[in-house]
Amino acid sequence: MRVVFMGTPEFSVPVLEALAAEHEVVCAYSQPPRPAGRGKKLRPSPVQARAEALGIEVRHPTSLKSSEEQAALAALNADVAVVVAYGLILPQAVLDAPARGCLNIHASLLPRWRGAAPIHRSIMAGDAQTGVCIMQMEAGLDAGPVLLREALDIGDTETTGALHDRLSAMGARLIIEALERLPELEPQVQPDAGVTYAHKIDKAEAAIDWTRPAAEVARHINGLSPFPGAFVMRGETRLKLLRARALDDADAAQPGTLLQGPTVACGTGAIELLEVQPAGKGRMDAASWVNGAGLKSSARLGD
C-alpha cells in the first residue's frame, strides 16, 4: 500500500519502522523542529529523524487547514494514512484524501481515555488493563469506530515509561495486521457509556501529597514516571520519585515519614520507594539513596 504516515514523538517511531518494512511510505508528516538543549538549537522530532534516516520525505506544516497543504497531501495519492500521536487536528478534507481514509493508533481501550495522555491516566487511575485500538478517524476527539483492539495487563509497579514501550510495540504490530485485514474488518462504533478523557499532564500535578492513601500515591508516582516525574522537596532541592509499590500494612505515622528504609507513611498505609532521582544525578535504587543520604527512620520527606 501507499501509506502517508503522521506522527511526532518516540512512541510513533516503531510504527513508522514497521510500516516502512511492509509498505511504501510515500511521506511522513511530523511536528516542526523545536528549540532544545542549552543552545536552543532546532531539533527534529523523533519521527522526522527516523524518517530521514529511512530515506522518506518529511513534511512538517504548522497547520493542515490551508487548501495548499490539503492539495499537496491529496497529490500523494495514498491508499491510507496512519496517524499516531501526530499533534495536529486533521480537517475533513485531509481525512477524506486517502482512498481508504485515515487510521489512528490510540493507546487505550476506547472509549476509555480519549485524548492526550492515555498512558499516564490509565496508571494514575489504577486501571488493571489498557491496550491499543486501531480506529477509523472521523471528526471529533478519538471518537471514530474501532477496527481492531488488543488489551494487556498493567503491572503493579509499572511506570508510564515501561508501559509506553509495550504499547508502542503493540501498536506497530496491530497496524500491520489491520492493513492486511482491512477489507474484512468490521468497524465497531464506540459506545457512549464509559467515555473518559485523558487530559494533558500538567507539571503542577507532579508534587506528591503524602496525605493521600498509599495506593493513590504509588499510582501517582508510577504514572508520572519518567516525565514529568513526581517529586518532593528536601530543603531547596527536588527529589524525583520514579517507581513505588503500595504496601498492605504499615505502622501509623505522620504522612511523609520514613518508617524503615525507603518505606514512607501515607494518609492511610505506606509505600515502598523503588527508584528515585536526586537533583543533578541519575535514577537510582531508592534503598541505596536512603542509605547514602544517611536517612533514619522518622525522617520526613517533603520538609
Side-chain angles (χ1 to χ4, degrees), residues 176-232:
I176 298 302
E177 179 183 347
L179 293 180
E180 290 176 353
R181 298 175 53 198
L182 199 54
E184 69 184 69
L185 293 176
E186 292 289 338
Q188 302 295 316
V189 176
Q190 293 185 41
D192 293 330
V195 174
T196 58
Y197 289 93
H199 297 290
K200 184 177 179 179
I201 298 295
D202 190 319
K203 290 183 179 180
E205 296 180 69
I208 284 294
D209 178 1
W210 294 117
T211 65
R212 294 166 63 185
E216 292 182 14
V217 174
R219 296 197 304 258
H220 195 79
I221 291 169
N222 296 334
L224 294 181
S225 176
F227 180 83
F231 72 91
V232 293

Side-chain angles (χ1 to χ4, degrees), residues 167-181:
L167 290 170
S168 179
M170 177 182 282
R173 174 172 53 79
L174 281 187
I175 192 62
I176 298 302
E177 179 183 347
L179 293 180
E180 290 176 353
R181 298 175 53 198

Side-chain angles (χ1 to χ4, degrees), residues 133-276:
C133 285
I134 307 298
M135 179 187 69
Q136 186 78 51
M137 294 183 71
E138 296 180 349
L141 180 64
D142 300 327
V146 173
L147 299 175
L148 199 60
R149 70 172 64 221
E150 186 172 318
L152 56 75
D153 294 336
I154 300 175
D156 288 342
T157 64
E158 190 160 21
T159 64
T160 284
L163 186 56
H164 166 285
D165 293 348
R166 291 209 291 152
L167 290 170
S168 179
M170 177 182 282
R173 174 172 53 79
L174 281 187
I175 192 62
I176 298 302
E177 179 183 347
L179 293 180
E180 290 176 353
R181 298 175 53 198
L182 199 54
E184 69 184 69
L185 293 176
E186 292 289 338
Q188 302 295 316
V189 176
Q190 293 185 41
D192 293 330
V195 174
T196 58
Y197 289 93
H199 297 290
K200 184 177 179 179
I201 298 295
D202 190 319
K203 290 183 179 180
E205 296 180 69
I208 284 294
D209 178 1
W210 294 117
T211 65
R212 294 166 63 185
E216 292 182 14
V217 174
R219 296 197 304 258
H220 195 79
I221 291 169
N222 296 334
L224 294 181
S225 176
F227 180 83
F231 72 91
V232 293
M233 299 300 297
R234 299 194 68 242
E236 299 298 319
T237 61
R238 179 176 295 201
L239 175 69
K240 282 190 176 183
L241 312 177
L242 297 179
R243 195 161 64 91
R245 175 190 294 114
L247 302 178
D248 293 333
D249 298 308
D251 296 332
Q254 185 177 0
T257 302
L258 281 175
L259 300 177
Q260 183 177 6
T263 301
V264 187
C266 298
T268 55
I271 65 163
E272 179 188 4
L273 293 175
L274 300 174
E275 291 183 79
V276 300

Side-chain angles (χ1 to χ4, degrees), residues 51-123:
E52 289 175 346
L54 292 169
I56 298 169
E57 177 191 353
V58 178
R59 298 176 183 175
H60 39 70
T62 57
S63 171
L64 292 170
K65 294 180 180 179
S66 72
S67 57
E68 291 81 9
E69 287 293 349
Q70 293 171 10
L73 191 148
L76 294 169
N77 295 316
D79 295 307
V80 68
V82 173
V83 184
V84 51
Y86 177 33
L88 284 184
I89 294 175
L90 305 190
Q92 192 63 48
V94 172
L95 295 175
D96 294 339
R100 298 190 179 186
C102 298
L103 303 184
N104 177 249
I105 302 172
H106 188 75
S108 81
L109 298 176
L110 293 167
R112 186 161 177 79
W113 302 129
R114 295 177 181 176
I119 304 176
H120 296 80
R121 297 299 179 191
S122 63
I123 292 178

Side-chain angles (χ1 to χ4, degrees), residues 275-300:
E275 291 183 79
V276 300
Q277 184 177 2
K281 298 182 180 180
R283 65 192 302 156
M284 63 188 299
D285 174 79
S288 299
W289 172 77
V290 169
N291 291 334
L295 295 177
K296 306 295 184 183
S297 297
S298 78
R300 280 189 41 82

